[in-house]
Amino acid sequence: MFSVSKLVMSIAFVALLTGGSNLWQSLEAKRPVRVDCTIDIAHTTRAQDGTLLGTEFYTRDFVLTEGTNFEEDYSTPTRFKFFDASLQNVGDSAIVSIAWFADVSVFNSADFSTALTLVKGQKDGEISASHTFSTSAAHSTTTYTLTGSRR
């Protein structure tokens, strides 16, 4: 009889652990996705001889949750400047989308958009790129690095 009660207690304990584990996994699955992000953007314009004509820097730390965007209008009286970011949860992937626009001179503006995808189980990610355009008088280079950490 003693072994039967011990067996029943063991089964009840295993059932309790299994139920608790399933409840925990269910709560974790419903927890909103959060991604802590950092963006670093540098735009430089140089004359054909290499002389620095102008620079534009934008650096921000921001937090995204699904359904809440990060938007910043940091325009000046003479220049338009915008940064936008959003988070979309698709399946088990968290997708951070960003867009940046800046008037960088009287006749030129620079802009780009990109996305960083953190796939299932991936906690941290980074994406970066560089783009240069040239005119007969100068060349401009825009570089960026976007990092994200799922929490």
Side-chain angles (χ1 to χ4, degrees), residues 23-124:
L23 177 62
W24 177 259
Q25 289 174 0
S26 175
L27 291 173
E28 280 293 303
K30 293 179 182 183
R31 188 180 71 174
V33 175
R34 172 185 159 167
V35 179
D36 296 344
C37 301
T38 299
I39 183 69
D40 289 307
I41 303 169
H43 179 86
T44 59
T45 302
R46 296 185 178 276
Q48 293 299 353
D49 68 2
T51 304
L52 182 63
L53 300 176
T55 58
E56 173 80 29
F57 296 104
Y58 181 81
T59 300
R60 287 292 180 273
D61 295 323
F62 56 97
V63 176
L64 293 172
T65 56
E66 190 172 21
T68 304
N69 297 341
F70 177 83
E71 300 172 347
E72 185 169 17
D73 176 350
Y74 63 107
S75 300
T76 68
T78 58
R79 301 280 182 252
F80 292 110
K81 301 169 188 293
F82 304 100
F83 178 78
D84 300 302
S86 63
L87 174 67
Q88 184 179 12
N89 195 30
V90 178
D92 290 329
S93 296
I95 303 169
V96 175
S97 300
I98 64 167
W100 177 76
F101 173 89
D103 273 337
V104 292
S105 72
V106 174
F107 299 109
N108 296 311
S109 63
D111 70 304
F112 69 88
S113 60
T114 192
L116 169 65
T117 301
L118 300 172
V119 295
K120 180 181 181 178
Q122 182 182 5
K123 183 178 176 187
D124 300 313

Side-chain angles (χ1 to χ4, degrees), residues 7-22:
L7 177 65
V8 169
M9 290 295 285
S10 295
I11 291 172
F13 182 69
V14 169
L16 181 64
L17 285 177
T18 302
S21 174
N22 290 342

